[in-house]
Amino acid sequence: MLTYESDAGLEGGIPDGVVFPQTTADVAQFVAWANQNHIPLVARGAGTGTTGGAVAHQGGLIVEFSHMNRILELDEEERIAFVEPGVVKLCLG
Ligand SMILES: Cc1cc2nc3c(=O)[nH]c(=O)nc-3n(C[C@H](O)[C@H](O)[C@H](O)COP(=O)(O)OP(=O)(O)OC[C@H]3O[C@@H](n4cnc5c(N)ncnc54)[C@H](O)[C@@H]3O)c2cc1C
Protein backbone atom coordinates (compact mmCIF):
# COMPACT_ATOMS: atom_id res chain seq x y z
CA MET A 1 0.00 0.00 0.00
CA LEU A 2 2.97 2.34 0.61
CA THR A 3 3.49 2.74 -3.14
CA TYR A 4 0.07 4.34 -3.36
CA GLU A 5 0.16 6.52 -0.24
CA SER A 6 0.96 9.71 -2.13
CA ASP A 7 1.07 11.34 -5.55
CA ALA A 8 3.69 13.91 -6.57
CA GLY A 9 2.39 16.32 -3.93
CA LEU A 10 2.96 16.43 -0.19
CA GLU A 11 -0.30 14.90 0.99
CA GLY A 12 -0.31 11.29 2.23
CA GLY A 13 -2.84 8.62 3.17
CA ILE A 14 -2.62 4.84 3.09
CA PRO A 15 -5.44 3.17 1.13
CA ASP A 16 -7.18 0.02 2.33
CA GLY A 17 -6.54 -1.59 -1.04
CA VAL A 18 -5.74 -1.02 -4.70
CA VAL A 19 -7.68 -2.47 -7.63
CA PHE A 20 -6.47 -2.71 -11.23
CA PRO A 21 -9.41 -2.76 -13.64
CA GLN A 22 -8.70 -3.97 -17.18
CA THR A 23 -12.03 -3.17 -18.79
CA THR A 24 -14.92 -0.74 -18.47
CA ALA A 25 -17.01 -3.63 -17.12
CA ASP A 26 -14.43 -4.13 -14.33
CA VAL A 27 -14.74 -0.45 -13.40
CA ALA A 28 -18.54 -0.65 -13.33
CA GLN A 29 -18.32 -3.73 -11.10
CA PHE A 30 -15.95 -2.05 -8.60
CA VAL A 31 -18.07 1.08 -8.48
CA ALA A 32 -21.29 -0.86 -7.86
CA TRP A 33 -19.64 -3.00 -5.15
CA ALA A 34 -18.04 0.02 -3.42
CA ASN A 35 -21.31 1.92 -3.53
CA GLN A 36 -23.19 -1.00 -1.99
CA ASN A 37 -20.60 -1.30 0.79
CA HIS A 38 -20.10 2.47 1.34
CA ILE A 39 -16.41 2.27 0.48
CA PRO A 40 -14.78 5.40 -0.95
CA LEU A 41 -13.00 5.08 -4.31
CA VAL A 42 -10.14 7.25 -5.54
CA ALA A 43 -9.26 7.16 -9.26
CA ARG A 44 -5.56 7.17 -10.04
CA GLY A 45 -3.70 7.58 -13.32
CA ALA A 46 0.08 7.89 -13.16
CA GLY A 47 0.00 9.61 -9.75
CA THR A 48 1.89 12.66 -11.06
CA GLY A 49 -0.70 15.18 -9.88
CA THR A 50 0.67 17.61 -7.30
CA THR A 51 -2.48 18.31 -5.28
CA GLY A 52 -3.14 15.01 -3.50
CA GLY A 53 -6.12 14.28 -5.76
CA ALA A 54 -5.06 10.65 -6.27
CA VAL A 55 -4.48 10.03 -2.54
CA ALA A 56 -6.89 8.06 -0.30
CA HIS A 57 -6.79 10.54 2.61
CA GLN A 58 -9.45 8.70 4.57
CA GLY A 59 -8.78 5.16 3.44
CA GLY A 60 -10.87 3.38 0.83
CA LEU A 61 -9.79 1.84 -2.45
CA ILE A 62 -7.54 3.26 -5.13
CA VAL A 63 -8.72 2.42 -8.65
CA GLU A 64 -5.47 2.33 -10.60
CA PHE A 65 -5.89 2.70 -14.37
CA SER A 66 -2.42 1.74 -15.61
CA HIS A 67 -3.72 -1.53 -17.09
CA MET A 68 -6.33 0.31 -19.17
CA ASN A 69 -3.89 1.85 -21.63
CA ARG A 70 -5.28 1.03 -25.06
CA ILE A 71 -5.81 3.50 -27.86
CA LEU A 72 -9.27 2.56 -29.10
CA GLU A 73 -9.56 4.74 -32.17
CA LEU A 74 -7.37 7.31 -33.85
CA ASP A 75 -8.80 9.76 -36.38
CA GLU A 76 -5.72 11.48 -37.77
CA GLU A 77 -7.70 13.67 -40.17
CA GLU A 78 -9.93 15.09 -37.41
CA ARG A 79 -7.07 14.82 -34.86
CA ILE A 80 -9.26 12.93 -32.37
CA ALA A 81 -8.20 9.95 -30.26
CA PHE A 82 -10.54 7.73 -28.25
CA VAL A 83 -8.46 6.23 -25.45
CA GLU A 84 -8.74 4.36 -22.19
CA PRO A 85 -7.95 6.41 -19.07
CA GLY A 86 -4.47 4.95 -18.47
CA VAL A 87 -2.97 6.06 -21.79
CA VAL A 88 0.12 8.19 -21.21
CA LYS A 89 0.58 11.15 -23.51
CA LEU A 90 3.85 12.88 -24.14
CA CYS A 91 4.09 16.39 -25.53
CA LEU A 92 7.47 17.38 -26.86
CA GLY A 93 8.26 21.01 -27.50
C1 LIG B 1 7.55 17.38 -12.41
C2 LIG B 1 6.11 17.63 -12.81
C3 LIG B 1 5.85 18.50 -13.84
C4 LIG B 1 4.54 18.75 -14.23
N1 LIG B 1 4.32 19.63 -15.24
C5 LIG B 1 3.07 19.86 -15.65
C6 LIG B 1 2.81 20.75 -16.76
O1 LIG B 1 3.74 21.30 -17.35
N2 LIG B 1 1.54 20.96 -17.13
C7 LIG B 1 0.50 20.33 -16.49
O2 LIG B 1 -0.65 20.54 -16.88
N3 LIG B 1 0.71 19.50 -15.43
C8 LIG B 1 1.96 19.25 -15.02
N4 LIG B 1 2.18 18.41 -13.97
C9 LIG B 1 1.03 17.82 -13.29
C10 LIG B 1 0.71 16.39 -13.73
O3 LIG B 1 1.54 15.93 -14.76
C11 LIG B 1 -0.73 16.35 -14.13
O4 LIG B 1 -1.51 16.63 -13.02
C12 LIG B 1 -1.06 14.99 -14.74
O5 LIG B 1 -1.71 15.21 -15.96
C13 LIG B 1 -1.91 14.11 -13.85
O6 LIG B 1 -2.10 12.86 -14.51
P1 LIG B 1 -2.04 11.51 -13.69
O7 LIG B 1 -2.46 10.41 -14.61
O8 LIG B 1 -0.71 11.35 -13.02
O9 LIG B 1 -3.19 11.79 -12.61
P2 LIG B 1 -3.22 11.43 -11.08
O10 LIG B 1 -2.20 12.25 -10.33
O11 LIG B 1 -3.14 9.94 -10.93
O12 LIG B 1 -4.68 11.95 -10.75
C14 LIG B 1 -5.01 13.35 -10.85
C15 LIG B 1 -6.50 13.53 -10.49
O13 LIG B 1 -7.33 12.95 -11.51
C16 LIG B 1 -8.16 11.95 -10.93
N5 LIG B 1 -8.23 10.85 -11.90
C17 LIG B 1 -7.19 10.12 -12.39
N6 LIG B 1 -7.63 9.21 -13.27
C18 LIG B 1 -8.98 9.37 -13.35
C19 LIG B 1 -10.02 8.73 -14.08
N7 LIG B 1 -9.77 7.74 -14.94
N8 LIG B 1 -11.28 9.15 -13.89
C20 LIG B 1 -11.56 10.15 -13.03
N9 LIG B 1 -10.63 10.82 -12.30
C21 LIG B 1 -9.36 10.43 -12.46
C22 LIG B 1 -7.50 11.54 -9.62
O14 LIG B 1 -8.44 11.05 -8.66
C23 LIG B 1 -6.90 12.85 -9.16
O15 LIG B 1 -7.86 13.67 -8.54
C24 LIG B 1 3.46 18.11 -13.56
C25 LIG B 1 3.74 17.22 -12.52
C26 LIG B 1 5.04 16.96 -12.14
C27 LIG B 1 5.32 16.00 -11.03
Side-chain angles (χ1 to χ4, degrees), residues 1 4-6 13-21 30 40-45 54-57 59-65:
M1 295 307 124
Y4 296 95
E5 77 172 347
S6 63
I14 298 184
D16 297 312
V18 183
V19 294
F20 297 85
F30 288 138
L41 294 179
V42 179
R44 184 179 175 104
V55 174
H57 295 280
L61 292 183
I62 300 246
V63 184
E64 217 269 24
F65 284 99

Side-chain angles (χ1 to χ4, degrees), residues 7-8 42-55 63 65 85-87 89:
D7 57 11
V42 179
R44 184 179 175 104
T48 64
T50 55
T51 58
V55 174
V63 184
F65 284 99
V87 168
K89 71 174 170 55

Side-chain angles (χ1 to χ4, degrees), residues 17-56:
V18 183
V19 294
F20 297 85
Q22 308 224 358
T23 64
T24 303
D26 289 346
V27 178
Q29 206 177 350
F30 288 138
V31 170
W33 177 83
N35 189 38
Q36 264 174 8
N37 293 283
H38 307 287
I39 294 173
L41 294 179
V42 179
R44 184 179 175 104
T48 64
T50 55
T51 58
V55 174

